[in-house]
Amino acid sequence: MATSLGEIAETFGCTLKGDAGIVVDSVASLASAADNQLSFYSNTALQPLLENTAAAAVIVRPNDADHCPAAALIHDDPYACYARIAAALHPPAPLASGTHSSAVVDTQATVAESSELAANVVVGRNARIGERCYIGPGTVVGNDAIIGDDCRLVANVTVAHGVSIGRRVILHPGAVVGSDGFGNAQTAEGWVKVPQVGGLQIGDDVEIGANSTIDRGAMDDTIIGRGVRIDNLVQIAHNVQIGDHTAIAAQCGFAGSAVIGQRCMFAGHSGTVGHITVCDDVVVMGKGVLTKDISEPGVYSALFPAEPIRDWNRKAARFRRLDSLQQRVSELEKKGQ
Amino acid sequence: MATSLGEIAETFGCTLKGDAGIVVDSVASLASAADNQLSFYSNTALQPLLENTAAAAVIVRPNDADHCPAAALIHDDPYACYARIAAALHPPAPLASGTHSSAVVDTQATVAESSELAANVVVGRNARIGERCYIGPGTVVGNDAIIGDDCRLVANVTVAHGVSIGRRVILHPGAVVGSDGFGNAQTAEGWVKVPQVGGLQIGDDVEIGANSTIDRGAMDDTIIGRGVRIDNLVQIAHNVQIGDHTAIAAQCGFAGSAVIGQRCMFAGHSGTVGHITVCDDVVVMGKGVLTKDISEPGVYSALFPAEPIRDWNRKAARFRRLDSLQQRVSELEKKGQ
Amino acid sequence: MATSLGEIAETFGCTLKGDAGIVVDSVASLASAADNQLSFYSNTALQPLLENTAAAAVIVRPNDADHCPAAALIHDDPYACYARIAAALHPPAPLASGTHSSAVVDTQATVAESSELAANVVVGRNARIGERCYIGPGTVVGNDAIIGDDCRLVANVTVAHGVSIGRRVILHPGAVVGSDGFGNAQTAEGWVKVPQVGGLQIGDDVEIGANSTIDRGAMDDTIIGRGVRIDNLVQIAHNVQIGDHTAIAAQCGFAGSAVIGQRCMFAGHSGTVGHITVCDDVVVMGKGVLTKDISEPGVYSALFPAEPIRDWNRKAARFRRLDSLQQRVSELEKKGQ
């Protein structure tokens, strides 16, 4: 969507240094942008790329405008500004409102006329789909599920029965929301399945990555707060509560009934055990597992970086012998007395 | 399904303390239950919730009946008892036997008339589906696959060709069973794919979580024993054998040809390397990896809980300098002689 | 496909010790093979199985032919040789060229006549599918995606819009390629989605496992090199580059913009942080995370094997008290001076 820099500066609150009449139609990285494209710069390590960019314009911080060989769109937060401008230049494909002839929609489902149901979609009994939704090919929406306005279920998504999804929610391909939690009672004859009769509530403006899984509650509901961002292959167990605006990177896992605060961030492969409470503004580094209640905001870690195996094995051997080292020190202390 | 407490007590072997004529129609947690609902109590940390519950009845241990403000269904194992009663009160939707007009069933497949095939199901050549199965929307059943009686494939499940599934098996959305194992032979020109000609056998009463993957064997079969419970996003590689009644939490992984005993439990993100044998009744804590044969039942762990990053980094630095600490102790010992 | 040992020896460059007229029709393990079957032997731990095999023939190294009770197909690399012969004996089902009546193919898509599109496949606008492809049931191919010749998308695969896939690529069930990367800009009002306008290029001869996810780039493309092998439930984030012939086991994760060399191997649950460069020929052991640039080929690790929990807890306690141990040694050193 071609737009002039003047228009962009006005719409997105930037100060323009350069020709307001220059037109851009898409975004690209500093290194690959052409003269019809816009980029952004916020990481000083990339200054050489900035200085050599062929972009028509670059979004920069006030201090960086002088290094910009192209028109500069000056903003205090170039990345967020870029995100908004990129969304305007690259809007999603317009909806083809209506239901594809191959979709199977229960006669007792309610689908807004403004929404698009793509090929091979299945919508169950009493399900409700709001205005301007895109329900992508192969997606299954279970009985009694509710999907708010302006949602986008990309493809092959599964929404289980009774799940409640807010507005402007994006579910990427293969995501499963509302599957049964892992509830089993141990008996002498083996496991007895515990029916998972709770639900799942997903707030407004949530995004859930490809092949992630979020379970419904055992009795009460699993709850995903507003503005939560979840990457691919993440597991959220039954009765977990994720606070508003928390971000969860790929392959994280949250065990049952964990309660996570607002604005937390979990790096890849991290997570928590079950039945703990984590306060707001907690950051967990990659692979870290929180194992008890956390009441102090801050950064948490337990990561040993991989290193050459000979070095690692030597350290691991020392670790295994810590007991003996401790005893030798005690011996020395006794002798010294 | 509304039922009187008298009937419930009789059917499920509880002693009733209270009015046998009270009717309940569903289950709920102690905190949220209303006076038409049943709950259970087995965790003493929740005693305040018990004492304030509005539930019509609560399943409790004999000793706890006096604390129960509602009718008490007394049982030695309240959780297992709850699981069974909840299943009776919340039965699965009755099957709509037959095949949806949008399903594609090979003319050489055999599908029991009592089973329901939902919208957009695909069933391959010579596949056989037993009695009273529910094959949910978007599910693909490959050629020559066999599915026993009373199975439930919820939605968007993939059963690869030739997989053999027992009775009363539940496969949650996105589960893939029988995909090719990861077999590659290294050559100077790159990897050569090793055809995966083995099969996959899944026993009776198995449950497999959303988006979990279980590979077929390279030559012989991968085997999942009876009563095994597998959570979401679990990976089971080719030729693994999982013993009866073993339970596997989310995101666990088992490398090729691992042989796991009966009644083992694997917490989240744990697993084993390949080609090892693990005896019965082994429990592995979260993130733990078994790397060699295990012949002693018991609990295994290697978890460092995440902690404030400053504390962690100081310890990790000490760990990196263990060599030097060891040397300093040796020096001291030499001096002391 | 029944073939004589003479033919096999000639086609695959083996030396035959035994009757060239013997016919085999399939492969099996040493333990289970019958007299119409072929096996291989390369692991000396299995010598008893070799000596007792009922196979018609076994592929062996030159030195092992004397231990082989059956006909011996002698080759320097029995496993790679086995892989090639097994592929010939077990060819994929012949294609039923054409498009199933239930498939939904956009009128502006281009599908080679030699390809097979199975039931419930959806192909988007301007997508192009090459010669002799198998597009399995429930698979969704997005707008503008390009799939090269001889690809095999097994079932329920999602190829997002604009993804470019080379020749002879295999995508296993549930794989998602080209989903949006995890790009979010933090603002006072919450996360702002960063449009993911880059693409995804997948080279020739790549294999991607069940339910794995590979994201498209944020601005530039994510790139998977030629001959790369990816197991199940692997996550590859936006703008990652994976070098040719690298092999990645199940549940690995690669954070954004990591650049991985050629012929690397990542064991299960391992991976890298983002924005690092890893040279060729690096091997990472299970659960290991590379956290900085790696310029030396070799094996990297940070794995503590799980052990009996009492032993582990004692070591972990010692680890927590390393600070104090260090201080005690310093005290002793001071006294000794």
Side-chain angles (χ1 to χ4, degrees):
Chain A
M1 187 177 294
T3 314
S4 74
L5 297 183
E7 259 186 281
I8 288 174
E10 197 181 316
T11 308
F12 295 96
C14 311
T15 303
L16 175 63
K17 182 179 163 189
D19 179 353
I22 293 172
V23 167
V24 292
D25 61 10
S26 57
V27 300
S29 66
L30 289 170
S32 67
D35 65 2
N36 59 327
Q37 295 187 300
L38 177 82
S39 194
F40 80 98
Y41 169 77
S42 62
N43 175 353
T44 53
L46 304 181
Q47 192 172 319
L49 293 179
L50 173 66
E51 290 171 350
N52 292 293
T53 190
V58 182
I59 310 167
V60 296
R61 290 204 186 82
N63 286 342
D64 295 321
D66 289 346
H67 299 291
C68 181
L73 287 159
I74 300 168
H75 194 277
D76 285 336
D77 188 345
Y79 190 44
C81 181
Y82 164 79
R84 296 189 177 103
I85 298 175
L89 292 175
H90 298 263
L95 290 177
S97 303
T99 295
H100 191 275
S101 60
S102 64
V104 178
V105 180
D106 191 276
T107 54
Q108 294 175 56
T110 306
V111 178
E113 285 187 15
S114 57
S115 285
E116 174 179 354
L117 274 58
N120 290 344
V121 162
V122 179
V123 179
R125 196 177 54 249
N126 294 326
R128 298 210 308 265
I129 295 177
E131 301 286 346
R132 298 170 302 277
C133 289
Y134 174 76
I135 311 297
T139 293
V140 173
V141 178
N143 298 340
D144 305 301
I146 297 174
I147 296 178
D149 299 338
D150 300 297
C151 289
R152 188 169 178 84
L153 283 58
V154 178
N156 280 332
V157 169
T158 304
V159 178
H161 64 95
V163 170
S164 168
I165 296 178
R167 294 166 294 175
R168 299 174 300 276
V169 168
I170 302 174
L171 301 184
H172 288 289
V176 175
V177 294
S179 39
D180 274 5
F182 195 57
N184 298 285
Q186 203 168 17
T187 74
E189 298 78 42
W191 299 102
V192 177
K193 178 177 174 67
V194 179
Q196 302 291 298
V197 304
L200 167 61
Q201 303 173 32
I202 297 176
D204 293 341
D205 299 299
V206 167
E207 186 165 351
I208 296 173
N211 285 345
S212 284
T213 57
I214 305 185
D215 283 344
R216 66 190 318 109
M219 294 193 284
D220 297 319
D221 293 349
T222 304
I223 296 174
I224 309 297
R226 287 182 306 121
V228 167
R229 301 298 159 100
I230 297 174
D231 199 356
N232 299 342
L233 294 170
V234 168
Q235 151 72 356
I236 296 183
H238 50 188
N239 299 105
V240 167
Q241 300 180 28
I242 306 284
D244 297 350
H245 308 299
T246 280
I248 298 170
Q251 295 169 313
C252 285
F254 297 84
S257 301
V259 177
I260 310 299
Q262 300 190 5
R263 298 174 305 277
C264 293
M265 293 195 272
F266 287 83
H269 262 145
S270 72
T272 73
V273 303
H275 296 278
I276 66 168
T277 298
V278 175
C279 66
D280 297 341
D281 300 303
V282 164
V283 175
V284 181
M285 305 298 283
K287 297 257 177 190
V289 184
L290 299 176
T291 61
K292 54 183 185 187
D293 288 354
I294 301 291
S295 55
E296 286 292 317
V299 181
Y300 291 75
S301 177
L303 181 64
F304 288 107
E307 51 184 305
I309 193 165
R310 184 186 300 201
D311 298 343
W312 175 259
N313 283 349
R314 197 171 55 235
K315 284 171 203 164
R318 296 281 185 244
F319 173 79
R320 281 197 296 277
R321 291 197 293 264
L322 266 180
D323 247 9
S324 122
L325 186 64
Q326 171 106 2
Q327 278 167 20
R328 287 161 62 191
V329 172
S330 297
E331 290 290 321
L332 286 164
E333 286 169 337
K334 269 186 232 157
K335 279 190 192 169
Q337 280 168 349
Chain B
M1 190 176 293
T3 315
S4 74
L5 296 183
E7 258 188 281
I8 288 175
E10 198 182 315
T11 308
F12 296 96
C14 311
T15 304
L16 175 64
K17 181 178 164 192
D19 178 354
I22 293 172
V23 167
V24 293
D25 61 11
S26 56
V27 299
S29 65
L30 289 169
S32 66
D35 66 1
N36 59 327
Q37 295 186 299
L38 177 81
S39 194
F40 79 98
Y41 170 76
S42 62
N43 175 354
T44 54
L46 304 182
Q47 191 171 320
L49 292 179
L50 173 65
E51 290 171 349
N52 292 292
T53 190
V58 182
I59 311 166
V60 296
R61 291 205 184 80
N63 286 343
D64 296 318
D66 288 346
H67 300 290
C68 181
L73 287 158
I74 299 168
H75 194 277
D76 286 336
D77 186 345
Y79 190 44
C81 181
Y82 163 79
R84 294 189 178 101
I85 297 175
L89 293 175
H90 299 263
L95 289 177
S97 304
T99 295
H100 191 276
S101 59
S102 65
V104 177
V105 179
D106 191 277
T107 54
Q108 294 175 56
T110 306
V111 178
E113 284 187 17
S114 58
S115 284
E116 173 180 355
L117 273 58
N120 290 343
V121 161
V122 179
V123 179
R125 197 177 52 250
N126 293 327
R128 298 210 309 265
I129 296 177
E131 300 287 344
R132 298 171 302 279
C133 289
Y134 174 76
I135 310 295
T139 292
V140 173
V141 178
N143 297 339
D144 304 302
I146 298 174
I147 297 178
D149 298 339
D150 300 297
C151 288
R152 188 169 178 84
L153 283 57
V154 178
N156 281 332
V157 169
T158 304
V159 178
H161 64 94
V163 170
S164 168
I165 296 178
R167 292 166 296 175
R168 299 175 299 278
V169 169
I170 302 175
L171 302 184
H172 289 289
V176 174
V177 294
S179 40
D180 275 4
F182 195 55
N184 298 285
Q186 202 168 18
T187 73
E189 298 77 41
W191 299 102
V192 176
K193 179 178 174 68
V194 179
Q196 302 292 298
V197 304
L200 166 61
Q201 303 173 34
I202 297 176
D204 292 343
D205 298 299
V206 167
E207 185 165 351
I208 296 174
N211 285 344
S212 285
T213 56
I214 305 183
D215 284 343
R216 66 191 315 111
M219 294 194 285
D220 297 320
D221 292 351
T222 303
I223 295 174
I224 309 296
R226 285 181 309 118
V228 167
R229 299 298 159 102
I230 296 174
D231 198 356
N232 299 342
L233 294 170
V234 168
Q235 151 73 356
I236 297 183
H238 48 189
N239 298 105
V240 167
Q241 300 180 29
I242 306 284
D244 296 351
H245 307 298
T246 280
I248 298 171
Q251 296 169 312
C252 285
F254 297 85
S257 301
V259 178
I260 311 298
Q262 299 190 6
R263 298 175 304 278
C264 293
M265 293 196 272
F266 287 83
H269 263 146
S270 72
T272 73
V273 303
H275 296 278
I276 65 169
T277 297
V278 175
C279 67
D280 296 343
D281 299 303
V282 165
V283 175
V284 181
M285 305 298 282
K287 298 257 175 189
V289 184
L290 298 176
T291 60
K292 54 184 185 187
D293 288 354
I294 301 291
S295 55
E296 286 291 318
V299 181
Y300 291 76
S301 177
L303 180 64
F304 288 106
E307 51 184 304
I309 193 165
R310 183 185 301 202
D311 299 344
W312 175 259
N313 283 348
R314 197 172 54 236
K315 283 171 202 162
R318 297 281 184 245
F319 174 77
R320 281 196 298 277
R321 291 197 292 265
L322 265 179
D323 248 10
S324 122
L325 185 65
Q326 171 106 4
Q327 277 167 21
R328 287 161 62 190
V329 171
S330 297
E331 289 290 319
L332 287 164
E333 286 169 337
K334 267 185 235 158
K335 279 191 192 167
Q337 281 169 351
Chain C
M1 189 177 295
T3 315
S4 74
L5 297 183
E7 258 186 281
I8 288 175
E10 197 181 316
T11 307
F12 295 96
C14 311
T15 304
L16 175 63
K17 182 178 164 190
D19 178 353
I22 293 172
V23 166
V24 292
D25 61 11
S26 57
V27 299
S29 65
L30 288 169
S32 67
D35 66 1
N36 59 328
Q37 294 187 299
L38 177 81
S39 195
F40 80 98
Y41 169 76
S42 62
N43 175 354
T44 53
L46 304 181
Q47 192 172 318
L49 292 179
L50 173 66
E51 290 171 351
N52 292 292
T53 190
V58 183
I59 311 167
V60 296
R61 291 206 186 79
N63 286 344
D64 296 320
D66 288 347
H67 300 290
C68 181
L73 287 158
I74 300 169
H75 194 278
D76 286 336
D77 187 346
Y79 190 43
C81 181
Y82 164 78
R84 294 189 178 102
I85 297 174
L89 292 175
H90 299 263
L95 290 177
S97 302
T99 297
H100 191 276
S101 59
S102 65
V104 177
V105 180
D106 191 276
T107 54
Q108 294 175 56
T110 306
V111 178
E113 285 186 17
S114 57
S115 285
E116 174 179 354
L117 273 58
N120 290 342
V121 162
V122 179
V123 180
R125 197 177 53 249
N126 295 326
R128 298 210 308 264
I129 295 177
E131 301 286 346
R132 297 171 302 278
C133 289
Y134 174 75
I135 311 295
T139 293
V140 174
V141 178
N143 298 340
D144 305 302
I146 297 174
I147 296 177
D149 299 338
D150 300 297
C151 288
R152 189 170 177 83
L153 282 58
V154 178
N156 280 331
V157 169
T158 304
V159 178
H161 64 95
V163 170
S164 169
I165 296 178
R167 293 166 293 175
R168 298 176 299 278
V169 169
I170 302 175
L171 302 184
H172 288 290
V176 175
V177 294
S179 41
D180 274 4
F182 195 55
N184 298 285
Q186 202 168 18
T187 74
E189 297 78 41
W191 299 103
V192 177
K193 178 178 174 67
V194 179
Q196 303 291 299
V197 303
L200 167 61
Q201 303 172 34
I202 297 176
D204 293 342
D205 298 299
V206 167
E207 186 164 351
I208 297 173
N211 285 344
S212 285
T213 57
I214 305 184
D215 284 344
R216 65 191 316 109
M219 293 194 284
D220 297 321
D221 293 351
T222 303
I223 296 173
I224 308 297
R226 287 182 306 119
V228 167
R229 300 297 160 101
I230 297 174
D231 198 355
N232 299 343
L233 293 170
V234 168
Q235 151 72 357
I236 296 183
H238 49 187
N239 299 104
V240 167
Q241 299 179 28
I242 306 284
D244 297 351
H245 307 300
T246 280
I248 299 170
Q251 295 168 313
C252 286
F254 297 85
S257 301
V259 177
I260 310 299
Q262 301 191 4
R263 297 175 305 277
C264 293
M265 293 196 273
F266 287 82
H269 263 146
S270 71
T272 73
V273 302
H275 296 278
I276 66 169
T277 298
V278 175
C279 66
D280 297 342
D281 300 303
V282 164
V283 176
V284 181
M285 306 297 283
K287 297 256 177 192
V289 184
L290 299 176
T291 61
K292 53 184 185 186
D293 289 353
I294 300 291
S295 54
E296 286 292 317
V299 181
Y300 291 75
S301 177
L303 181 64
F304 288 106
E307 51 185 305
I309 193 164
R310 183 185 301 203
D311 298 344
W312 175 259
N313 283 347
R314 197 172 54 236
K315 283 172 203 163
R318 296 279 185 248
F319 174 77
R320 280 196 297 278
R321 291 197 292 265
L322 265 180
D323 249 9
S324 121
L325 185 64
Q326 171 106 4
Q327 277 167 22
R328 287 161 62 191
V329 171
S330 297
E331 288 291 319
L332 287 164
E333 286 169 337
K334 268 185 232 159
K335 280 190 192 170
Q337 281 170 348

